[in-house]
Amino acid sequence: MRIPRAACINDLSGFGRCSLTTAISILSASGVQACPVPTAILSKHTGFDSYYFKDLTESLDPYMKDWNSLEFDGIYSGFLGSAMQIEAVEKFIESHKAKKNPPCVIIDPVMGDEGRLYATYTPQMQNEMKRLAAHADILTPNITEACFLTDTLYRGEEIYPQAATELIKKLGEKTQAKIVLTGIVKNDKILNMTYSEGDIQLSEVERESRVFAGTGDIFSSVVCAFILKGKPLHKAVDIAGKFISTALERTTISNTPLAEGVIFEPLLYKLGNI
Ligand code: PXL
């Protein structure tokens, strides 16, 4: 069996279940080879009160240049720590898109949540991310990120149906990508909306009102894995929603702090059976 190969560009946060730890675990469990490009190392993600942060921007160009001769089925990018990093990723994508068998580019425009940009996010990075998003084949913003990418006023997560449809279409005008708008709240449900060639589809899961760190990383990692395994986008989104939903049930029972993220380890085996 051929194992699809993905370059995963993201930070490595040692504690808190997000970014590369999540991507490597989920892709591997799903049967996809995860090749990490660490953009920074952090002792914990930035949602904790204290963390050590070491930026790896300088190593990105030589690191990725050494990969010029490699072929990837997918390039998956997540949290990026500076405008220069976004530029380096753009260059990497452009060089691999020029190949005979170009990879599928999955960009999770990790910028913020609940109406706010992450502390590390500058207005310059916001502009660079708009440019990077235009290179995506699949883009997976949450509502906050979709608002920042389209200069739309954030009005909360309960924006279904009209505002969510308008938002996803507005973003669709700025990129050729298929878009998954995540985390739309509708009563006790969460909707993930998929926009592909003018067509909108919805995927619905039970809502957990508490917001756990790294949920978006789990979502886009599962979507990335199953796209590379040949599933249609809507199906990959369904798998991701159900996986998170089951993991959240497990996490709620354990009553662990929100910053420690979603307990997905006991459920990874399920991804190998799909
Ligand atoms: O889960 C997104 C994310 C990734 N990486 C780092 C973060 C966050 C969210 O806070 O701090 C370092």
Side-chain angles (χ1 to χ4, degrees):
M1 189 180 58
R2 192 175 163 276
I3 302 287
R5 177 189 293 165
C8 302
I9 309 167
N10 216 323
D11 69 272
L12 181 70
S13 288
F15 190 72
R17 292 191 185 90
C18 67
S19 37
L20 276 183
T21 30
T22 297
I24 295 170
S25 310
I26 286 179
L27 266 65
S28 301
S30 309
V32 174
Q33 181 189 2
C35 306
V37 181
T39 55
I41 52 170
L42 292 89
S43 56
K44 310 188 203 91
H45 64 65
T46 61
F48 285 91
D49 291 339
S50 77
Y51 52 87
Y52 165 77
F53 176 89
K54 168 99 179 132
D55 179 79
L56 296 178
T57 302
E58 278 187 11
S59 63
L60 282 186
D61 266 336
Y63 191 114
M64 295 196 290
K65 213 164 144 200
D66 184 58
W67 279 7
N68 269 344
S69 55
L70 296 178
E71 304 250 328
F72 293 96
D73 301 287
I75 297 177
Y76 163 39
S77 79
F79 183 91
L80 298 171
S82 66
M84 263 171 77
Q85 287 195 357
I86 302 177
E87 271 175 43
V89 173
E90 194 179 11
K91 242 167 61 187
F92 180 69
I93 291 173
E94 279 171 349
S95 77
H96 282 266
K97 278 274 187 185
K99 289 182 182 245
K100 200 161 120 248
N101 295 311
C104 176
V105 175
I106 298 138
I107 295 181
D108 186 4
V110 179
M111 300 164 80
D113 209 353
E114 296 180 296
R116 285 184 302 272
L117 286 176
Y118 291 130
T120 50
Y121 236 84
T122 62
Q124 190 196 353
M125 288 171 74
Q126 189 184 332
N127 281 332
E128 299 271 335
M129 186 52 95
K130 283 181 188 167
R131 236 190 31 235
L132 186 65
H135 292 279
D137 294 304
I138 296 175
L139 191 64
T140 60
N142 60 28
I143 295 172
T144 301
E145 291 154 351
C147 286
F148 278 109
L149 288 173
T150 54
D151 299 306
T152 305
L153 184 68
Y154 172 83
R155 295 179 192 277
E157 321 276 314
E158 285 183 71
I159 59 162
Y160 182 75
Q162 199 185 334
T165 309
E166 276 169 20
L167 185 57
I168 208 166
K169 286 188 173 169
K170 197 167 166 187
L171 192 50
E173 287 165 12
K174 296 185 182 295
T175 164
Q176 299 295 309
K178 296 178 182 178
I179 302 167
V180 188
L181 180 62
T182 65
I184 305 161
V185 173
K186 186 184 163 212
N187 306 321
D188 57 350
K189 303 274 192 259
I190 290 279
L191 306 180
N192 295 310
M193 183 181 270
T194 307
Y195 182 71
S196 170
E197 287 148 25
D199 206 38
I200 288 188
Q201 282 186 290
L202 287 168
S203 170
E204 188 178 282
V205 284
E206 292 303 310
R207 177 178 171 215
E208 159 60 51
S209 54
R210 295 183 308 152
V211 180
F212 287 89
T215 312
D217 297 341
I218 301 177
F219 184 87
S220 43
S221 296
V222 177
V223 169
C224 171
F226 285 92
I227 284 293
L228 297 185
K229 294 207 76 183
K231 299 274 190 221
L233 181 59
H234 182 60
K235 183 77 188 142
V237 168
D238 263 349
I239 297 170
K242 290 201 180 86
F243 182 74
I244 292 178
S245 203
T246 317
L248 281 173
E249 271 173 39
R250 174 73 176 69
T251 310
T252 309
I253 296 167
S254 298
N255 208 21
T256 44
L258 298 179
E260 288 188 22
V262 181
I263 298 176
F264 59 74
E265 296 86 350
L267 303 167
L268 284 173
Y269 77 94
K270 286 179 183 278
L271 297 171
N273 298 334
I274 293 172

